[in-house]
Structure formats: structure tokens, C-alpha cells
Amino acid sequence: MEAMEQWKDQLEQLKSQLEPWKNQLEQWLHQAIEYLNQIPPTQLYAAVAVLLISTLLLLSFRFFKCTKSNTIVLTGLSGSGKTVLFYQLRDGSSHQGTVTSMEPNEGTFVLNSESNKGKTKPVHLVDVPGHSRLQPKLDEFLPQAAGIVFVVDALEFLPNCRLASEYLYDILTKASVVKKKIPVLICCNKTDKVTAHTKEFIRKQMEKEIDKLRVSRSAISAADISNDFDLGVPGEAFAFSQCRNKVTVTEASGLTGEVAQVEQFIRELVKP
């Protein structure tokens, strides 16, 4: 009983201590109501509308900032080894060599090399066919791409250098790529072969071809140019370092599973 009486006394003391705060809050509330009553309804409604819109914009910004894309697009000329690379990244298999795709291959999965590492963010990988008639399908996937892997056949590079450079030029000048500064990895595939060209040779040759394309296409009347942006610096030889988005070059082999640099590129853009 004595403990109960002490508890009641402490409660009464607490109530007496909080009483001034209660009175102060009631006074502030009364003043706030009086102030609001003095504001014309139209101004009050406008203020509430501004507050609501600002809150919605802030929430939307935070939502879109947190939902980063996990889509990586594989593209390049037909026969460059994109589909083999796709399967190698997905399940560590080459699926018995080169497969010519006529429809996009896509899937959302954890990279094969990370399959035993516990909780890892899946990657949405899209393999876009390289046939010239099917290349326009690329435009369907670029808006949501976090990165682009442009696959080049390092073994048969020279006969296809101009076509590959034209295709890459078109990608690097697309508004959907330039405005979002989508990183591009030029993947020199099939470098396990002795006669394959090195990534430095391929980079230099493609820069030269794109430099020629810059000159020839700038000579066309503006009405006939389909590219959204120009490349390079006027008066200077073209280099990938001049692009608005980051362009890097690496070597790989889809057949032998040497894809570590490609996986690193993907994981820099799609965080685990």
C-alpha cells in the first residue's frame, strides 16, 4: 500500500509539472487558429496545395532515385558472340558455341559466378539480335538500360570493322544514350584465339572509322541526318574519351568463360 501511495504521489507531481506545458500548447493552438482565420480562404488553399505538391515531388524524386535500373543490353553485329556471352553470364555454359539469334534473349538472374554468394541483386540481361534488319529492336530496350555491352568479334574484326563502327556510332549518338550518359563497354570477344586482335588495336581502328563517319555524315544536309547528337571535338581526331558517356574496352571469351571484366562492368552499374 505504501508503494502505491508513493506511485500516486509521483504521478500527481508529474501532472503538476506538465500542466504549464499543457497550458502553453493550448495557447499556441489558439493563436494558430486565430492566425489561420485571418488568412483569406484562397490564400490558405493555395498554401496547402503548394505544400502537397512539394511533398509529392519530394517523394517521387526519392522513389525514382532508389529504383535504379538493373537492365544491361548486349548488342553488336551478328556472329560476334553475344548469345554465347549471354548464356555464359547466366549459367556458365557456352551452349555449344555460336548461336545466331533472330529474337531478343532476355532474362533476370543472378550472374553465374555469384550463384553461391548468398543474397545478390539479379541482373536483367537482354541480348539484342545483331542482324541489320533486327537492330532497330535495340531502341525498345535502351530507355531502361543501365549499361550497354557492345560485343565485337576480335577474330574476324577487320572485315567487319566498318559495319561495327557504324553500328556503334549510331548507338553513341542516340539521345536515349547520351542524355542518360549510359556507360558502354566494348567487349572484344573470342580473344582466346591466337589470331585474335588485341583490344588496343580494335579501339584505335574503331576510333579511326568513327572519325571518318563524323566527317562524312556532317557533310550530309541537316534534314537527312538521323543521329540525335554529334560525336567528338571539332577539329580533333575522334577518341572514345571525348564521348559524353563513359566508353571502355575490354577482352573476353564467351566460349572459355573468360568474362570477369564483363561481370565487373555489370556489377559497377547494378549493385549487389
Side-chain angles (χ1 to χ4, degrees), residues 169 214 216-230:
Y169 179 97
R214 271 198 320 164
S216 61
R217 295 198 183 188
S218 63
I220 303 173
S221 62
D224 296 329
I225 295 176
S226 59
N227 300 99
D228 300 317
F229 287 87
D230 295 327

Side-chain angles (χ1 to χ4, degrees), residues 75-140:
T75 190
L77 296 183
S78 181
S80 59
K82 299 181 301 300
T83 304
V84 173
L85 194 62
F86 175 90
Y87 288 128
Q88 193 65 251
L89 292 168
R90 190 187 71 177
D91 52 34
S93 168
S94 64
H95 279 234
Q96 297 181 343
T98 304
V99 181
T100 301
S101 304
M102 297 307 290
E103 288 294 331
N105 290 319
E106 61 177 309
T108 302
F109 48 83
V110 173
L111 297 176
N112 179 68
S113 64
E114 301 174 339
S115 56
N116 298 321
K117 292 185 178 180
K119 190 174 182 181
T120 307
K121 185 176 181 179
V123 176
H124 180 219
L125 198 62
V126 183
D127 162 28
V128 180
H131 193 283
S132 57
R133 288 187 290 108
L134 301 173
Q135 287 175 5
K137 285 184 174 288
L138 180 67
D139 292 330
E140 299 175 15

Side-chain angles (χ1 to χ4, degrees), residues 141-153:
F141 299 100
L142 286 180
Q144 65 259 30
I148 300 168
V149 178
F150 187 87
V151 186
V152 176
D153 185 341

Side-chain angles (χ1 to χ4, degrees), residues 150-217:
F150 187 87
V151 186
V152 176
D153 185 341
L155 193 62
E156 298 293 335
F157 171 68
L158 285 177
N160 299 304
C161 178
R162 182 166 182 81
L163 283 176
S165 300
E166 286 180 349
Y167 190 17
L168 182 58
Y169 179 97
D170 290 338
I171 291 172
L172 294 175
T173 53
K174 287 183 181 293
S176 56
V177 174
V178 178
K179 289 181 179 179
K180 291 174 62 180
K181 294 184 178 180
I182 299 175
V184 176
L185 176 70
I186 301 173
C187 176
C188 305
N189 194 24
K190 307 181 185 180
T191 52
D192 57 301
K193 305 298 182 183
V194 178
T195 55
H197 295 285
T198 65
K199 66 178 183 180
E200 283 304 312
F201 177 83
I202 290 172
R203 178 185 62 79
K204 290 176 182 178
Q205 292 302 314
M206 294 191 82
E207 285 177 340
K208 288 179 181 178
E209 284 296 331
I210 289 177
D211 197 42
K212 294 176 186 176
L213 284 167
R214 271 198 320 164
V215 176
S216 61
R217 295 198 183 188

